[in-house]
Amino acid sequence: HRADLVIAYIVNSEARSWFRLFLSGWFTSIYCFVFDVHIKYINGAPMYSVAWLKKLAPFHSTRYSLLAEIHVKMLRSGVSYLEIDGYLKPSKKSSAMKIGTLIDVIRSFLKLFYEVRFANAGHYALKPTRILPND
């Protein structure tokens, strides 16, 4: 079976600092709870068709929240999805923990919340279908 969306989740979490793991876990948990999507990692590297991006545009996010926005919009549009193992290259630095990033994340989240829960709630009311790796 073919999935509309393929999302990688991090297997080698030891490649990140404990604080970065905490932030990523918190970010994923909030998005999954608020938008009622159930995936392992909201910012995982994805694969999807350009046609889907065109259907979901415009996007409010410009930086770190862009993948989360795409994932939420796709999942809430009723797509089929598959989660696969993903690995990070160990890194000592992360630009994800800067004040500008935090401001962008909050702004993007609020705009996405309004769009998905109010402005276009009917369009984003569908449930996704999880595809298992062996299907």
Side-chain angles (χ1 to χ4, degrees), residues 2-27:
R2 200 169 134 205
D4 299 310
L5 172 63
V6 177
I7 307 171
Y9 61 91
I10 297 170
V11 175
N12 63 330
S13 58
E14 70 278 359
R16 286 189 166 161
S17 71
W18 69 268
F19 186 67
R20 184 71 164 83
L21 283 173
F22 171 77
L23 286 179
S24 293
W26 185 73
F27 184 84

Side-chain angles (χ1 to χ4, degrees), residues 8 29 33 39 52-53 59 75 87 89 102-103 109 114-115 117 120 128 133:
S29 296
F33 176 76
I39 57 177
W52 267 107
L53 287 182
F59 298 102
L75 293 167
Y87 293 86
K89 180 180 176 184
L102 178 62
I103 291 167
F109 176 84
Y114 176 75
E115 181 178 2
R117 291 297 192 177
N120 294 317

Side-chain angles (χ1 to χ4, degrees), residues 67-114:
L67 291 179
E69 180 177 354
I70 291 169
H71 294 155
V72 166
K73 285 181 172 182
M74 285 188 75
L75 293 167
R76 298 285 307 201
S77 295
V79 300
S80 60
Y81 71 100
L82 170 68
E83 293 181 283
I84 61 170
D85 298 355
Y87 293 86
L88 284 175
K89 180 180 176 184
S91 173
K92 299 288 183 208
K93 281 187 158 183
S94 172
S95 59
M97 296 185 275
K98 294 183 179 179
I99 192 69
T101 302
L102 178 62
I103 291 167
D104 180 65
V105 165
I106 293 169
R107 179 188 58 79
S108 298
F109 176 84
L110 292 173
K111 286 181 177 182
L112 181 62
F113 180 79
Y114 176 75

